[in-house]
Amino acid sequence: MGSDKHDAIVLGGGFAGLSCAVALAGKGKKVLVLDKKPHLGGRAYSFSENGLDIDNGQHLFMGCYFATLEFLKTIGTDSKLDIYEDVVVDYAEAGGGRDRLSCPSWLPAPLHLAAGLLGLKGVSLGEKTALLAFDRALKSMRTGPVPDAVERMTVRAWLTSLGLSSNFQTRFFDPAAIGILNDAPEVASAAGFVQALRTMFFTGRESSRFALAKTGLSELYTDAARDYVEARGGRVISNAKAASLIEEGGRVRGIKTDMDSRFEAGHVVSTLPPWDLKKLGLPAALRGPWETLAPAPIVGATLKLDRPVMTERFLGMLKTETHWVFNKTLIHGTKEEGQTIAVVISGAHKQIGYSPEKIMAAATRDLAACLPEFSKAKILASKVVKEPFATLSPTPGSEAKRPEPGTGMPGFSFAGDWTRTGFPATIESACLSGQIAAERL
Ligand SMILES: Cc1cc2nc3c(=O)[nH]c(=O)nc-3n(C[C@H](O)[C@H](O)[C@H](O)COP(=O)(O)OP(=O)(O)OC[C@H]3O[C@@H](n4cnc5c(N)ncnc54)[C@H](O)[C@@H]3O)c2cc1C
């Protein structure tokens, strides 16, 4: 099968691939998107099972996801994302304790976050004085690459070097770090944490707002992106697995699929994660230290309950194996008698090997410990999802291995959340990488 009528081939139909294809189509390019799976959305998609509408994992967006917001606006689905005015995070502790980070709306950034941190009940005034050193350190890295010395430190080592007590770390910094970086503070490099925090603190109040999809993840972007590309002469094909690159005269000319189809175009942008991309038998010019980047898993569960157990949109769970719980009924605005909730365990290197029953046992134990109403609730339906390759594990040294989006070799560019966008491997990094690759092409 030939396809020389296409200007570019984009490998992968997740956030990176679709945002790249949309950016190219918007510039009048005819794009061909290929994805090996039967559905689009990559690592951020939704499906229905057991009477439940399930995201493969709850995804939290931020006000500073500028590239993502641009992508959603272009395809006309930004109204499906709820960006919350209030910057508030509630925490529930095993044993019933509660705390709240509440950042006053009348204060400009970064003072609103400073006020929120000063208002945490579970951290003493003495412990909070370390915020001065934290503020100084963050300001010194306000822009540009994070210094090597910090990149080589783990989040834990960096926070401790600033004099932040272990109690303060446990109650605020750890839940934030594990949510952003998807690995434990003892494992993740401080670089990604610094990149995310400085954007949240120093690029305006709106950057630190939280946002959640009012619909399933797939409904948020996959069909609308496909329609946008196809309306501009492009094509999106699922169940098409790239098996190798077609290379001639030092230039990539297209790809061959595992079914022996050939697709040719002026350029190939790959948004494949590193563990999939390296299986393509790449030319020497594309090989490099990025091949050793490793994944970090996430496990999660969606539970339909016969009664409400929480009133907040989401809660950070402290001192538990489960990290976050989300109120899907409230987030989606569903009218239902009971409540549907979703729990997340990030950096789940241990739990990824558990059976679904064992994951549910951990989740229900933690929910019962943190939410008094949970013990009275009956679980009407549930689904556990394990994502072994959820994100890049951002260990010290990994930043330097991430190739820049849009680089590669003649006829080929790298993109994907894992490329070096100045952000941790997130939806924003994915969308930004796709847009940069499209821009450079
Ligand atoms: C459970 C979970 C929770 C998460 N939570 C958050 C969150 O709260 N906030 C946040 O910002 N991020 C979160 N993330 C990360 C976010 O989902 C990813 O950063 C983002 O979806 C990556 O997009 P991508 O397009 O770069 O890669 P992918 O989505 O992986 O897209 C790559 C595509 O390439 C396809 N592919 C692979 N090999 C081939 C091949 N040989 N041929 C053709 N196609 C191929 C795959 O099928 C896939 O569709 C989470 C991830 C998971 C799994």
Side-chain angles (χ1 to χ4, degrees):
M1 200 188 304
S3 70
D4 47 7
K5 62 182 189 299
H6 292 103
D7 298 308
I9 295 171
V10 175
L11 298 180
F15 266 109
L18 292 176
S19 78
C20 181
V22 162
L24 288 170
K27 292 203 278 185
K29 303 280 179 207
K30 290 201 174 9
V31 194
L32 175 67
V33 179
L34 301 176
D35 199 293
K36 69 174 180 182
K37 291 193 190 151
H39 59 82
L40 296 174
R43 280 171 281 151
Y45 71 101
S46 40
F47 59 99
S48 297
E49 202 177 301
N50 303 342
L52 290 170
D53 293 326
I54 300 159
D55 286 340
N56 68 315
Q58 179 63 50
H59 282 62
L60 183 68
F61 299 69
M62 299 286 309
C64 58
Y65 278 21
F66 302 120
T68 310
L69 293 172
E70 187 186 323
F71 166 59
L72 297 179
K73 272 199 188 101
T74 307
I75 59 171
T77 59
D78 51 315
S79 61
K80 294 186 177 183
L81 195 68
D82 236 343
I83 307 184
Y84 307 117
E85 242 348 286
D86 54 338
V87 180
V88 173
V89 185
D90 284 287
Y91 299 94
E93 215 169 324
R98 285 296 182 113
D99 211 341
R100 169 175 270 213
L101 175 87
S102 177
C103 305
S105 54
W106 46 272
L107 276 177
L111 292 177
H112 71 308
L113 278 163
L117 288 169
L118 288 171
L120 287 173
K121 284 188 308 198
V123 184
S124 72
L125 204 55
E127 290 172 291
K128 287 172 186 163
T129 56
L131 283 174
L132 286 171
F134 169 72
D135 179 58
R136 262 197 309 274
L138 214 51
K139 276 195 182 124
S140 73
M141 297 181 275
R142 208 175 177 134
T143 52
V146 176
D148 279 351
V150 176
E151 207 277 331
R152 279 195 297 271
M153 289 169 108
T154 62
V155 171
R156 176 73 68 238
W158 181 63
L159 294 174
T160 305
S161 75
L162 298 174
L164 289 154
S165 68
S166 99
N167 174 50
F168 204 170
Q169 293 186 37
T170 310
R171 301 187 75 85
F172 170 73
F173 293 95
D174 290 2
I178 198 149
I180 294 167
L181 303 171
N182 188 28
D183 233 329
E186 293 77 19
V187 173
S189 155
F193 200 35
V194 168
Q195 288 164 346
L197 289 174
R198 69 184 180 184
T199 314
M200 285 161 60
F201 275 70
F202 299 131
T203 61
R205 186 176 191 285
E206 311 210 322
S207 295
S208 52
R209 294 189 302 175
F210 299 101
L212 290 162
K214 289 188 260 184
T215 61
L217 276 171
S218 296
E219 204 183 326
L220 177 66
Y221 71 110
T222 56
D223 285 351
R226 179 208 304 260
D227 291 349
Y228 185 96
V229 169
E230 295 194 336
R232 284 157 185 80
R235 206 168 152 211
V236 179
I237 308 182
S238 303
N239 289 313
K241 182 173 180 182
S244 62
L245 301 180
I246 302 169
E247 194 204 346
E248 276 163 27
R251 187 176 179 92
V252 174
R253 308 270 172 192
I255 67 109
K256 259 197 225 159
T257 69
D258 63 342
M259 303 300 283
D260 247 359
S261 297
R262 281 171 72 91
F263 292 98
E264 292 178 21
H267 202 94
V268 175
V269 179
S270 164
T271 69
L272 273 42
W275 34 91
D276 286 327
L277 180 59
K278 69 183 183 189
K279 291 185 199 150
L280 258 52
L282 300 172
L286 294 175
R287 308 209 44 197
W290 64 265
E291 291 172 85
T292 60
L293 291 167
I298 296 182
V299 301
T302 303
L303 292 78
K304 188 174 169 62
L305 308 172
D306 68 341
R307 69 194 67 204
V309 297
M310 65 189 283
T311 53
E312 303 79 0
R313 278 182 213 116
F314 58 91
L315 277 170
M317 293 160 78
L318 299 178
K319 302 178 190 166
T320 47
E321 193 170 355
T322 313
H323 297 122
W324 294 93
V325 55
F326 290 81
N327 180 345
K328 299 294 282 188
T329 307
L330 184 61
I331 294 164
H332 285 183
T334 321
K335 300 267 173 288
E336 61 180 328
E337 251 176 50
Q339 192 170 55
T340 303
I341 60 173
V343 294
V344 179
I345 305 178
S346 300
H349 296 278
K350 185 173 68 168
Q351 294 83 357
I352 199 73
Y354 288 4
S355 64
E357 292 74 26
K358 196 165 172 191
I359 292 169
M360 274 295 284
T364 52
R365 177 202 62 213
D366 292 345
L367 288 165
C370 293
L371 302 173
E373 281 303 301
F374 184 82
S375 308
K376 298 180 208 152
K378 192 168 161 210
I379 301 173
L380 304 176
S382 67
K383 172 74 185 171
V384 168
V385 180
K386 299 203 273 178
E387 287 281 1
F389 301 94
T391 64
L392 190 67
S393 175
T395 49
S398 58
E399 187 69 6
K401 296 180 185 171
R402 298 169 74 183
E404 280 192 31
T407 62
M409 67 179 280
F412 180 96
S413 353
F414 292 108
D417 66 339
W418 61 282
T419 55
R420 203 187 321 161
T421 54
F423 273 98
T426 50
I427 291 171
E428 176 61 7
S429 183
C431 289
L432 185 59
S433 77
Q435 290 165 13
I436 294 174
E439 191 56 41
R440 290 196 179 169
L441 193 137

